[in-house]
Amino acid sequence: MGRAVVITGGTGGIGLHSAIGLARAGARVVVTGRSRERGEQALERIRAESGSQDVALVLGDLSDRAGVAALGDAILAEQPRIDILVHNAGMMAQERTVNSDGHELDFAVNVVAPHALTHHLLPALTQAPSRVLVVTGGKPSGPFDPSDLQSEKSFVPLVNYTMTKRAAEAMSIGLAEELQGRDVDVVVVYPGRASTAMTQAMTPSSLPWYLRPAWPVFRVLVPKDDGGKSAALAARSTVFAALSKSLAGRSWSYIDTHSQPGTLHPTVHEAGNRAIVMRALSPGATSATAR
Ligand SMILES: NC(=O)c1ccc[n+]([C@@H]2O[C@H](COP(=O)([O-])OP(=O)(O)OC[C@H]3O[C@@H](n4cnc5c(N)ncnc54)[C@H](OP(=O)(O)O)[C@@H]3O)[C@@H](O)[C@H]2O)c1
């Protein structure tokens, strides 16, 4: 196939299985992660399971703007032309933390980083028509209320994570507008539930109080460890969204967990909500200045 793919957070979970699927399809795959050890292990596994040797690792941390810029430079050095960029790295913090830019950490990694990294990588993305995937999560059909965008009023891990994913969807629409005329399409993709490091780190306190009694049900839906089985299934929609010719030339699309075109909640598409998110993404903006 000869296409070059960069997958953030390709060292474990859904990202690793997306990397395996895309390497199997013949793409050159560059994965990013924070740990060399995890990264080298991932490369070995991608090579073994895909049969492809054309894989590379770039190390970097997406939790603040300086980290995004450093990772962006390292990616450009490794891969000067990118056909498909997959913003897969994501997190669900179990307690509220604010980074050096003044951003809540889930917001930083799930929303600020994909926006900033896309812009940093534009020299590589505009060498030829390209595609940027934004991996969403939480309940993708749910409503978006950006009134407490960085959970300053109250912090519940799953609620905050879900809101940052809605914000990432709104950001993706704003990003597609910013990229009009550049031949860079944006696709939001929902992988579906999987047992991964992120979901395994959840406890009953990750849920809002009214859902805590349902914790045993949640654990059955997302088992403690299934050896990557559910992550491999979840990665299928990312692989589809990365490769599908049917999405070529569409400025913005959404692909659901069944690899079908879907619809996001109307509140994600509301211009006012999008404007709040895009203001929060302008360099120098913190939660307070975004309002
Ligand atoms: N699991 C689910 O049920 C589910 C459902 C829907 C959507 N999703 C979404 O799917 C994506 C992958 O999630 P997953 O469940 O596979 O998670 P995971 O197993 O925890 O993997 C997360 C990946 O992101 C990387 N990462 C995390 N924080 C980072 C940071 N600050 N800087 C750079 N890299 C970072 C990790 O790399 P290192 O730790 O090696 O650095 C790892 O490779 C996320 O966007 C998530 O929101 C997951």
Side-chain angles (χ1 to χ4, degrees):
M1 185 179 74
R3 275 179 277 185
V5 182
V6 173
I7 306 179
T8 65
T11 57
I14 297 167
L16 171 65
H17 287 278
S18 305
I20 292 169
L22 289 162
R24 248 184 220 143
R28 166 170 169 72
V29 174
V30 178
V31 294
T32 85
R34 291 164 296 181
S35 138
R36 179 165 299 282
E37 193 188 348
R38 271 168 61 76
E40 296 290 353
Q41 283 168 3
L43 289 191
E44 262 178 47
R45 190 150 168 210
I46 299 165
R47 289 189 190 109
E49 293 196 23
S50 71
S52 165
Q53 299 301 307
D54 203 4
V55 289
L57 170 70
V58 178
L59 294 174
D61 193 328
L62 293 163
S63 52
D64 61 19
R65 284 190 180 279
V68 172
L71 179 63
D73 287 343
I75 294 172
L76 288 172
E78 172 67 37
Q79 192 57 50
R81 193 202 86 227
I82 299 171
D83 300 298
I84 301 156
L85 169 63
V86 185
H87 292 298
N88 165 83
M91 66 171 295
M92 184 193 304
Q94 297 303 316
E95 53 188 49
R96 189 173 189 278
T97 311
V98 174
N99 72 8
S100 54
D101 302 318
H103 291 131
E104 185 283 319
L105 212 52
D106 284 11
F107 187 80
V109 174
N110 299 344
V111 193
V112 179
H115 181 260
L117 188 61
T118 303
H119 279 280
H120 202 102
L121 296 179
L122 274 182
L125 287 164
T126 51
Q127 299 285 315
S130 63
R131 189 172 294 178
V132 173
L133 267 55
V134 176
V135 176
T136 192
K139 195 169 160 234
S141 54
F144 178 38
D145 173 5
S147 60
D148 186 20
L149 202 50
Q150 299 190 50
S151 291
E152 289 162 290
K153 292 182 194 149
S154 76
F155 183 87
V156 178
L158 181 63
V159 175
N160 179 61
Y161 165 80
T162 302
M163 183 181 52
T164 62
K165 288 296 184 177
R166 295 293 78 74
E169 292 161 3
M171 176 279 289
S172 73
I173 300 168
L175 180 65
E177 286 173 357
E178 290 171 345
L179 299 176
Q180 284 288 343
R182 309 289 298 263
D183 253 348
V184 183
D185 299 335
V186 179
V187 184
V188 175
V189 60
Y190 177 59
R193 261 192 321 263
S195 175
T196 64
M198 190 180 78
T199 49
Q200 284 166 23
M202 292 175 73
T203 68
S205 331
S206 308
L207 309 181
W209 63 267
Y210 52 86
L211 285 181
R212 285 179 199 163
W215 175 251
V217 179
F218 181 86
R219 257 299 161 242
V220 171
L221 291 175
V222 183
K224 235 348 196 179
D225 190 358
D226 64 5
K229 226 164 127 185
S230 51
L233 284 177
R236 292 189 304 188
S237 52
T238 296
V239 173
F240 172 85
L243 300 180
S244 173
K245 290 196 175 106
S246 65
L247 303 176
R250 295 190 195 184
S251 162
W252 183 91
S253 332
Y254 168 57
I255 293 297
D256 70 14
T257 183
H258 306 293
S259 301
Q260 296 296 320
T263 49
L264 296 175
H265 197 275
T267 48
V268 170
H269 289 273
E270 266 174 31
N273 288 345
R274 179 156 73 258
I276 293 172
V277 174
M278 297 315 278
R279 263 202 305 281
L281 294 177
S282 50
T286 60
S287 51
T289 52
R291 284 192 288 268

